[in-house]
Every structure is written in C-alpha cells, then in structure tokens.
Amino acid sequence: MTSKDYSKVKAQLENKPAKWEKVQKHNAPKERAFGKGVTRCELCGTSRGVIVKYHLKICRRCFRLNAPKLGFKKLH
Ligand SMILES: [Zn+2]
C-alpha cells in the first residue's frame, strides 16, 4: 500500500461512510506542481529514475529495454 493507494483502509471503513470521508479529507495526497511526485514512468509507473530529457518520460530501466526501438544507438 502506497501513500496514494489506501484500498486497505477503504475496505475497513466500508460501512462507515462518515469516517471514510474524514480519512479522505485528511490523508489525500497533495497535488504537486513539481518534484518527484509529478513525474512517473509511462510504461511501468515508477517515480524513480525517470528520464524527462527529450520528452521521454520513462524510467532508466524501461529506457534500457526500449532504447533501440526508440532509435537510440549505443556508441562506443
Ligand atoms: Zn519504467
């Protein structure tokens, strides 16, 4: 369970709608304008190691797998 996904809490408070409302009000993730929480990998969804350069918006791991398909060449 991540900070953005509180499905476990929802399951526990299924029959308590007022409490569930309160949990959502006080624990909802912030809407962020910049920083780590804004950029996500479009292929796997991680926020770690995301390459934004050249408008890629994919993480380094997905980039490594898909670089030849995207037209990148390895130069030695
Ligand atoms: Zn990825």
Side-chain angles (χ1 to χ4, degrees), residues 41-46 58-63:
C41 174
E42 287 178 349
L43 300 175
C44 68
T46 187
I58 56 174
C59 73
R60 61 181 180 84
R61 293 161 286 264
C62 293
F63 176 76

